[in-house]
Amino acid sequence: MASNLDTLVTVFGGSGFLGRNVVRALCKRDYRVRVAVRRPELAGYLQPSGKVGQVHTVQANLRYPASVEAALRDSHVAINLVGVLTEGGAQTFDAVQAKGAETVAKASAAADAGLVHVSAIGADAESPSRYARAKAAGEAAVLAAVPSATIFRPSVMFGPEDQFTNRFAALARMSPVLPLIGETTRMQPVYVGDVATAIADAVDGKAKAGATYELGGPEVLTMREIIETILEITDRKRMLIPLPFGLARLQAALLQFAPGAFKLTPDQVTLLERDNVVSDAAKAAGLTLEGFGITPDSLEAIAPQYLWRFRAAGQFQRMSV
């Protein structure tokens, strides 16, 4: 019987938040993993994810087709995780999430490799958000080049290195007041480890060819409920001030140039105007985490394991401030 060690999986964007979890999940199943990233010299921390020689990093940039083709040489499966939350320089939504996705798909077809593509819930060609439109364009390009590709649309992901729960926890540590944009907008936060497991399952051949899966956690929460949960976990008492979308856009016009946790773009505000939850159609078709037999972990179960560092009194003592 053939071993998974005979299967080479190339992971584009494997050094990112989702990527490192996907690499770890694939290594646990004994796949050989080639991680294709723009700066392979900065991805050495991925080596301990597997056995000696199991993980290999190479240089690739989705804006340069030749580098993508080289990264896919002799690969059996390609996984595209590359995406950007904010634009910068040549790394635009269209360049990375639309044209970049097309480049990976065409190279996968040429290499006769299977393809798993990660998009996002909310991908919509008619969306007012440029991020969401680029995600939709990427999905269309992927299926045009590789009709059997599996597409995953996760809701907002959380985990130890996320830019979501950690961001709000950091803001709460610095400010007694938190602006609340999209107070009633509903989300379905999903643990990054569960998403990585689903992707590994797809590589195992457990996904439906050409299907689009929507991945969400066990609870649908409003933005207010999410932030209140983060504040409870970090033992912080902060005033939440609802901010109308119009005022939030004016604020984002300035904060889009801010560093770190303070950064907010007008396109992110636009995204917050729409719910980000698994559709009824995906549930009915079994195109969810549960469809893989995965019981999703909740925000309350996982987040305390890493957000404790934002508590004023640390890990072992809780004190209201």
Side-chain angles (χ1 to χ4, degrees):
M1 180 180 294
S3 165
N4 282 346
L5 286 173
D6 297 326
T7 301
L8 175 60
V9 182
T10 295
V11 184
F12 292 91
S15 63
F17 169 50
L18 174 58
R20 66 187 68 188
N21 286 274
V22 169
V23 169
R24 190 178 303 121
L26 292 172
C27 286
K28 286 182 178 179
R29 303 186 190 201
D30 290 333
Y31 288 104
R32 288 186 294 129
V33 182
R34 178 184 291 159
V35 184
V37 292
R38 287 191 297 160
R39 299 287 301 276
E41 71 275 13
L42 300 180
Y45 57 84
L46 293 172
Q47 299 298 330
S49 299
K51 303 178 181 70
V52 175
Q54 190 177 2
V55 179
H56 177 60
T57 56
V58 298
Q59 197 282 331
N61 188 322
L62 267 57
R63 292 187 289 109
Y64 298 94
S67 71
V68 174
E69 293 167 4
L72 274 172
R73 189 173 298 125
D74 300 323
S75 297
H76 300 91
V77 181
I79 300 175
N80 181 25
L81 309 175
V82 182
V84 290
L85 295 173
T86 59
E87 297 177 303
Q91 297 294 101
T92 65
F93 294 142
D94 284 336
V96 175
Q97 294 168 176
K99 294 177 183 176
E102 181 178 30
T103 297
V104 173
K106 287 183 175 180
S108 298
D112 195 26
L115 177 59
V116 177
H117 176 74
V118 175
S119 181
I121 287 180
D124 182 357
E126 304 300 323
S127 173
S129 162
R130 291 184 296 108
Y131 172 91
R133 292 199 302 272
K135 284 291 190 181
E139 290 183 6
V142 163
L143 292 177
V146 185
S148 61
T150 299
I151 293 176
F152 286 108
R153 291 178 170 180
S155 184
V156 59
M157 289 182 285
F158 65 88
E161 305 92 5
D162 71 37
Q163 296 183 42
F164 180 57
T165 59
N166 283 286
R167 177 181 184 180
F168 286 114
L171 287 172
R173 185 168 57 182
M174 294 183 284
S175 173
V177 177
L178 295 180
L180 186 56
I181 304 171
E183 177 181 17
T184 60
T185 299
R186 299 183 308 144
M187 296 186 176
Q188 200 165 343
V190 59
Y191 175 46
V192 66
D194 292 333
V195 176
T197 297
I199 292 172
D201 282 349
V203 175
D204 284 346
K206 297 178 182 178
K208 298 178 182 178
T212 297
Y213 288 79
E214 297 185 9
L215 310 181
E219 298 177 307
V220 174
L221 304 170
T222 65
M223 180 59 78
R224 172 178 281 278
E225 290 171 333
I226 291 171
I227 296 180
E228 287 176 342
T229 298
I230 293 170
L231 291 175
E232 181 179 357
I233 291 170
T234 57
D235 203 25
R236 301 277 182 178
K237 295 183 184 297
R238 295 295 182 258
M239 182 180 295
L240 301 180
I241 305 296
L243 202 63
F245 286 114
L247 186 56
R249 286 194 186 85
L250 291 176
Q251 186 182 60
L254 296 175
L255 291 181
Q256 63 183 317
F257 304 109
F262 290 100
K263 190 177 186 67
L264 176 69
T265 70
D267 199 72
Q268 288 173 331
V269 174
T270 299
L271 282 171
L272 286 170
E273 292 188 68
R274 293 189 176 185
D275 291 341
N276 194 274
V277 300
V278 174
S279 68
D280 291 336
K283 293 177 185 177
L287 301 177
T288 61
L289 284 173
E290 291 81 359
F292 285 104
I294 299 171
T295 300
D297 289 298
S298 69
L299 181 64
E300 290 184 345
I302 299 295
Q305 300 174 28
Y306 61 91
L307 289 184
W308 62 264
R309 65 193 181 94
F310 292 99
R311 297 174 188 161
Q315 183 176 10
F316 301 107
Q317 181 181 356
R318 298 187 61 144
M319 182 182 300
S320 296
V321 295

